[in-house]
Structure formats: C-alpha cells, structure tokens
Amino acid sequence: MYLGDEAWPDLETYFDSESLALVPLGSTEQHGPHLPEATDHLIAEAFAREVADRTGYLCTPTVNIGVSGHHRQFHGTMWVEPPAFRSYMESLTRNLTAHGIDRVIYVNAHGGNVPHLREVGARLRQDEVAYAIEWMWDESIPDLVDELFEQNGPHGGPKETSMIQFLEPTLVHDDRLQDARDEGVPSVDDAETVKHGSRTFYDAADNTDNGVLGDQTDASAQKGRDLFEAASDQLVALCEWLDAQPFEDLLPRDHV
C-alpha cells in the first residue's frame, strides 16, 4: 500500500491493524557520466513499493535528498547538512508514530545516509517511541553481488548501473559505460587515498575525477533483475521478522 495514493478514511483500517511502515530514502547526486542523479532514490523507491505490494505493508513517499555534500563538486548534486537530515528524519518518523506506527524500515539506497539513520533510530529506540532500522539492498545480498561482478565499485559501479538498466533503462547512457570505467578508478584502494591506515579523502572527487568507481561495462539489465529479485526477497523477510516481534522485545534492555 502506497500512502500517497490513499484517501485518509481508507487508511484507518491499516493503522488499526498494522504498526509497520517502509520509508524509502536515497539521494539526488552525481552517479558518473552514465547514470541519472536520481539513481539512489529510484532504487530505494522501487524496492519499497515492490515489497509493499507483495506484503501489504505501508510505503511512505520517498525522501529524495540526503547527506551528499561529499559529491558537491559535481554539477547538480543536492544535499542537506547532516544535522538537518537527522532532525527531518526523526520528525518524519515521530509523525508516523502519531498514527500508530511503532516500527519503521528505512529502505535506504545511499551510503551517506547510513550513520545518520542509525543515530535517529537509536534515539527513537532510547525514547521508546519506535524501533527504526536501516536497510541497504546490496548489503542484504553480498554473495550475489560478489558473484556477478569482479569489480562492483562502491559508487556508480556495475551493481547500480545494472539496477537502473533494469528499472529505468532509458535513463542510462549506455554509450558512456566504457568512458565511465576508463576515466574512473576500479576501487578506493586503487585511488591510493588510504595512507598508512588513514582515510585521507573526504569527497568523492578526491578519489575519482568522473565520480565513479568499478567496471561499468560489466553491467546488464538481467543482472539488475537478479539483484532486484534477490534483495526484494530479503526485504520481505525483514518485514515479516520485524512485524512478528513483540514491541517490548525491541526496546533497550534494562541496566545490568
């Protein structure tokens, strides 16, 4: 069920009987010369809507702009500062609790959001308001990602390229895949910005001139389909697990 499609009287039954919501999040930021700036939030929304359709759980509208200041050197990247993002996400989640939601899955497709969502979730749990956890599709299926790609790249690489080739093929510049590979770097290790155990980089531009890593020519829509189906199964399983937990078991333990 997608919240934005429903009239308010028709949501009463859901809130009377269910307490779980899916909140898709991503970013609007550069993903190299071949992928749209919408890449992350397109992926997040696709997963959340697919799983909401399969399970009947509620999917909220997508948060399209996240913590992306480290991509600011590239045209069109949009971002909010981390404190503003954390405040917004906490407020949004507390809004859901006003309707009876007490467990939330942040269906997140942008790595820059992760530590801030974790902080928000920890605060809400400590206040015993809600149990909110962050989920990233590629981290749910690491073996399949490694099986499909020799060099998957942490940003704008073949796994994200494959996903957009499957979900939104008209938005992929397939004629630029070779240039994306040749003008980028295979991995952070190859960028040689880790010095004596220290991460000396802060921005994406410190590692890669064109904004991406990995071998984009290894991508395909079929691989994207395989990734989407496998990760969707994982998200369905997570929803079912979370829904089955007594709320009191999700709260912080008492002091020893």
Side-chain angles (χ1 to χ4, degrees):
M1 176 187 294
Y2 179 62
L3 186 150
D5 288 341
E6 304 296 322
W8 72 263
D10 302 319
L11 288 164
E12 181 178 3
T13 301
Y14 184 85
F15 290 123
D16 281 347
S17 60
E18 300 288 353
S19 59
L20 187 150
L22 299 162
V23 179
L25 303 99
S27 67
T28 299
E29 66 182 26
Q30 71 84 19
H31 275 76
H34 62 300
L35 290 179
E37 306 231 347
T39 290
D40 286 344
H41 70 251
L42 289 173
I43 291 172
E45 182 168 333
F47 276 117
R49 288 218 183 201
E50 169 71 13
V51 171
D53 287 345
R54 286 175 56 178
T55 62
Y57 293 120
L58 186 70
C59 173
T60 73
T62 303
V63 178
N64 291 339
I65 297 173
V67 181
S68 298
H70 50 295
H71 292 283
R72 68 188 185 279
Q73 289 93 343
F74 296 92
H75 303 310
T77 292
M78 302 185 72
W79 69 91
V80 293
E81 295 302 324
F85 178 78
R86 292 193 296 268
S87 178
Y88 180 86
M89 290 308 304
E90 181 172 347
S91 180
L92 184 155
T93 307
R94 288 181 184 272
N95 157 238
L96 290 171
T97 69
H99 298 295
I101 297 297
D102 62 18
R103 56 205 78 194
V104 172
I105 299 175
Y106 299 128
V107 181
N108 175 46
H110 173 52
N113 294 339
V114 172
H116 311 291
L117 293 173
R118 293 282 297 167
E119 182 175 330
V120 168
R123 186 178 302 135
L124 292 166
R125 180 176 185 247
Q126 189 64 39
D127 290 348
E128 300 189 357
V129 173
Y131 184 78
I133 52 176
E134 179 267 342
W135 177 86
M136 284 193 73
W137 68 271
D138 55 326
E139 293 181 1
S140 76
I141 49 169
D143 292 343
L144 179 59
V145 171
D146 288 343
E147 176 186 327
L148 291 177
F149 308 110
E150 284 191 28
Q151 191 60 258
N152 61 63
H155 183 75
K159 61 186 178 184
E160 289 183 320
T161 302
S162 295
M163 193 68 76
I164 299 299
Q165 284 175 325
F166 169 59
L167 295 172
E168 298 285 351
T170 61
L171 298 181
V172 181
H173 297 274
D174 290 313
D175 58 327
R176 300 177 184 174
L177 297 181
Q178 185 170 336
D179 287 343
R181 178 197 64 191
D182 294 346
E183 296 171 11
V185 293
S187 67
V188 173
D189 288 344
D190 291 288
E192 298 183 347
T193 51
V194 176
K195 306 290 187 183
H196 311 292
S198 175
R199 297 176 181 86
T200 66
F201 58 92
Y202 284 96
D203 297 330
D206 297 334
N207 285 324
T208 165
D209 290 339
N210 71 348
V212 293
L213 304 96
D215 181 359
Q216 292 73 20
T217 65
D218 199 21
S220 73
Q222 181 58 55
K223 290 180 180 180
R225 179 187 293 275
D226 293 343
L227 293 166
F228 186 78
E229 291 176 352
S232 293
D233 289 344
Q234 292 297 312
L235 184 53
V236 167
L238 178 61
C239 289
E240 293 173 345
W241 171 83
L242 183 55
D243 187 51
Q245 306 309 303
F247 185 64
E248 57 270 19
D249 290 352
L250 298 171
L251 298 177
R253 296 186 182 188
D254 293 334
H255 195 287
V256 295

Coordinates of all heavy atoms in Angstrom, one line a residue, residues 10-44:
D10 N -9.5 5.8 4.1 CA -9.2 4.4 3.7 C -7.9 3.9 4.3 O -7.6 2.7 4.2 CB -9.0 4.4 2.1 CG -10.3 4.8 1.4 OD1 -11.4 4.5 1.9 OD2 -10.2 5.6 0.5
L11 N -7.2 4.8 5.1 CA -6.0 4.3 5.8 C -6.4 3.9 7.2 O -5.5 3.3 7.9 CB -5.0 5.5 5.9 CG -4.3 5.8 4.5 CD1 -3.6 7.1 4.6 CD2 -3.3 4.7 4.2
E12 N -7.6 4.1 7.7 CA -7.9 3.8 9.1 C -7.8 2.3 9.4 O -7.2 1.9 10.4 CB -9.4 4.2 9.4 CG -9.8 3.9 10.8 CD -11.2 4.4 11.1 OE1 -11.9 4.9 10.2 OE2 -11.6 4.3 12.3
T13 N -8.2 1.5 8.4 CA -8.1 0.0 8.7 C -6.7 -0.4 8.8 O -6.3 -1.2 9.7 CB -8.8 -0.7 7.5 OG1 -10.1 -0.3 7.4 CG2 -8.7 -2.2 7.7
Y14 N -5.7 0.2 8.0 CA -4.3 -0.2 8.1 C -3.8 0.2 9.5 O -3.2 -0.6 10.2 CB -3.5 0.5 7.0 CG -2.0 0.0 7.1 CD1 -1.7 -1.2 6.4 CD2 -1.1 0.7 7.8 CE1 -0.4 -1.6 6.5 CE2 0.2 0.2 7.9 CZ 0.6 -0.9 7.2 OH 1.9 -1.4 7.3
F15 N -4.0 1.4 9.9 CA -3.5 1.9 11.2 C -4.1 1.2 12.4 O -3.5 1.1 13.4 CB -3.6 3.4 11.3 CG -2.7 4.1 10.4 CD1 -3.2 5.1 9.5 CD2 -1.3 3.9 10.4 CE1 -2.4 5.8 8.6 CE2 -0.5 4.6 9.5 CZ -1.0 5.5 8.6
D16 N -5.3 0.7 12.2 CA -6.0 -0.1 13.3 C -5.4 -1.5 13.4 O -5.4 -2.0 14.5 CB -7.5 -0.3 13.0 CG -8.3 1.0 13.3 OD1 -7.7 1.9 14.0 OD2 -9.4 1.1 12.9
S17 N -4.8 -2.0 12.3 CA -4.4 -3.4 12.4 C -2.9 -3.6 12.2 O -2.3 -4.7 12.5 CB -5.1 -4.2 11.3 OG -4.8 -3.7 10.0
E18 N -2.2 -2.6 11.7 CA -0.7 -2.8 11.4 C 0.1 -1.7 12.1 O -0.5 -0.6 12.4 CB -0.5 -2.7 9.9 CG -1.2 -3.8 9.1 CD -0.6 -5.2 9.3 OE1 0.4 -5.3 9.9 OE2 -1.2 -6.2 8.8
S19 N 1.4 -2.0 12.3 CA 2.2 -1.0 13.0 C 3.6 -0.8 12.3 O 4.5 -0.3 12.9 CB 2.4 -1.4 14.5 OG 3.0 -2.7 14.5
L20 N 3.7 -1.2 11.1 CA 5.0 -1.2 10.4 C 4.9 -0.3 9.1 O 3.8 -0.4 8.4 CB 5.4 -2.6 10.0 CG 6.8 -2.8 9.4 CD1 7.4 -4.2 9.7 CD2 6.8 -2.6 7.9
A21 N 5.9 0.5 8.9 CA 5.9 1.3 7.7 C 7.3 1.2 7.0 O 8.3 1.1 7.7 CB 5.6 2.7 8.0
L22 N 7.3 1.2 5.7 CA 8.6 1.3 4.9 C 8.8 2.8 4.5 O 7.8 3.4 3.9 CB 8.4 0.4 3.7 CG 8.2 -1.1 3.9 CD1 7.7 -1.7 2.7 CD2 9.6 -1.7 4.3
V23 N 9.9 3.3 4.7 CA 10.3 4.7 4.3 C 11.4 4.6 3.3 O 12.6 4.4 3.8 CB 10.6 5.6 5.5 CG1 11.0 7.0 5.1 CG2 9.5 5.6 6.5
P24 N 11.2 4.8 2.1 CA 12.3 4.8 1.1 C 13.1 6.1 1.1 O 12.5 7.2 1.2 CB 11.6 4.6 -0.3 CG 10.2 5.1 -0.1 CD 9.9 4.9 1.4
L25 N 14.4 6.0 1.1 CA 15.3 7.1 1.1 C 16.5 6.9 0.1 O 16.9 5.8 -0.1 CB 16.0 7.3 2.4 CG 15.2 7.5 3.7 CD1 15.1 6.2 4.4 CD2 15.8 8.5 4.6
G26 N 16.9 8.0 -0.5 CA 18.1 7.9 -1.3 C 18.8 9.3 -1.4 O 19.1 9.9 -0.3
S27 N 19.1 9.7 -2.6 CA 19.9 11.0 -2.7 C 19.6 11.5 -4.1 O 19.0 10.8 -4.9 CB 21.4 10.8 -2.6 OG 21.9 10.0 -3.6
T28 N 20.0 12.7 -4.3 CA 20.0 13.3 -5.7 C 21.4 13.8 -5.9 O 21.8 14.9 -5.4 CB 19.0 14.5 -5.8 OG1 17.6 13.9 -5.6 CG2 19.0 15.1 -7.2
E29 N 22.2 13.0 -6.5 CA 23.7 13.3 -6.6 C 24.2 12.7 -7.8 O 23.7 11.8 -8.4 CB 24.4 12.8 -5.3 CG 24.3 11.3 -5.3 CD 25.0 10.7 -4.0 OE1 25.1 11.4 -3.0 OE2 25.5 9.5 -4.1
Q30 N 25.4 13.1 -8.2 CA 26.1 12.6 -9.3 C 26.3 11.1 -9.2 O 26.7 10.6 -8.1 CB 27.4 13.3 -9.6 CG 28.5 13.0 -8.6 CD 29.3 11.8 -8.9 OE1 29.3 11.3 -10.0 NE2 30.0 11.3 -7.9
H31 N 26.1 10.4 -10.3 CA 26.5 9.0 -10.4 C 27.3 8.7 -11.6 O 27.0 7.7 -12.3 CB 25.2 8.1 -10.3 CG 24.8 7.8 -8.9 ND1 24.1 8.7 -8.1 CD2 24.9 6.7 -8.1 CE1 23.9 8.2 -6.9 NE2 24.3 7.0 -6.9
G32 N 28.2 9.6 -11.9 CA 29.0 9.5 -13.1 C 28.4 10.0 -14.3 O 27.3 10.5 -14.3
P33 N 29.1 9.8 -15.5 CA 28.6 10.3 -16.7 C 27.5 9.5 -17.3 O 26.9 10.0 -18.3 CB 29.9 10.3 -17.6 CG 30.6 9.1 -17.1 CD 30.4 9.2 -15.6
H34 N 27.2 8.4 -16.8 CA 26.2 7.4 -17.4 C 24.9 7.2 -16.7 O 24.0 6.7 -17.3 CB 26.9 6.1 -17.6 CG 27.3 5.4 -16.3 ND1 28.2 6.0 -15.4 CD2 26.9 4.2 -15.7 CE1 28.3 5.2 -14.3 NE2 27.6 4.2 -14.5
L35 N 24.8 7.6 -15.4 CA 23.6 7.3 -14.6 C 23.0 8.6 -14.2 O 23.6 9.7 -14.0 CB 24.0 6.5 -13.4 CG 24.4 5.1 -13.6 CD1 24.7 4.4 -12.3 CD2 23.3 4.3 -14.3
P36 N 21.7 8.6 -14.0 CA 21.0 9.8 -13.5 C 21.3 10.2 -12.1 O 21.6 9.3 -11.3 CB 19.5 9.4 -13.7 CG 19.5 8.0 -13.5 CD 20.8 7.5 -14.1
E37 N 21.1 11.5 -11.8 CA 21.3 11.9 -10.4 C 20.3 11.3 -9.5 O 20.5 11.2 -8.2 CB 21.3 13.4 -10.3 CG 22.3 14.1 -11.3 CD 23.2 15.1 -10.6 OE1 22.9 15.5 -9.5 OE2 24.2 15.5 -11.3
A38 N 19.2 10.8 -10.0 CA 18.1 10.2 -9.2 C 18.4 8.7 -8.8 O 17.6 8.1 -8.2 CB 16.8 10.3 -10.0
T39 N 19.5 8.2 -9.2 CA 19.8 6.8 -9.1 C 19.4 6.2 -7.8 O 18.7 5.2 -7.7 CB 21.3 6.5 -9.4 OG1 21.6 6.7 -10.8 CG2 21.7 5.1 -9.0
D40 N 19.9 6.8 -6.7 CA 19.7 6.2 -5.4 C 18.2 6.2 -5.0 O 17.7 5.2 -4.5 CB 20.5 6.9 -4.3 CG 22.0 6.6 -4.4 OD1 22.4 5.6 -5.0 OD2 22.8 7.3 -3.8
H41 N 17.5 7.3 -5.2 CA 16.2 7.3 -4.7 C 15.2 6.5 -5.7 O 14.2 6.0 -5.2 CB 15.6 8.7 -4.4 CG 15.4 9.6 -5.6 ND1 16.2 10.7 -5.8 CD2 14.4 9.7 -6.5 CE1 15.7 11.4 -6.9 NE2 14.7 10.8 -7.3
L42 N 15.6 6.4 -6.9 CA 14.8 5.5 -7.8 C 14.9 4.0 -7.3 O 13.9 3.3 -7.3 CB 15.4 5.6 -9.2 CG 15.1 6.9 -10.0 CD1 15.8 6.9 -11.3 CD2 13.6 7.0 -10.2
I43 N 16.1 3.6 -6.9 CA 16.3 2.3 -6.4 C 15.6 2.0 -5.1 O 14.9 1.0 -5.0 CB 17.8 2.0 -6.3 CG1 18.5 1.9 -7.7 CG2 18.0 0.6 -5.5 CD1 20.0 1.8 -7.6
A44 N 15.7 3.0 -4.2 CA 15.0 2.8 -2.9 C 13.5 2.7 -3.1 O 12.9 1.9 -2.5 CB 15.4 4.0 -2.0

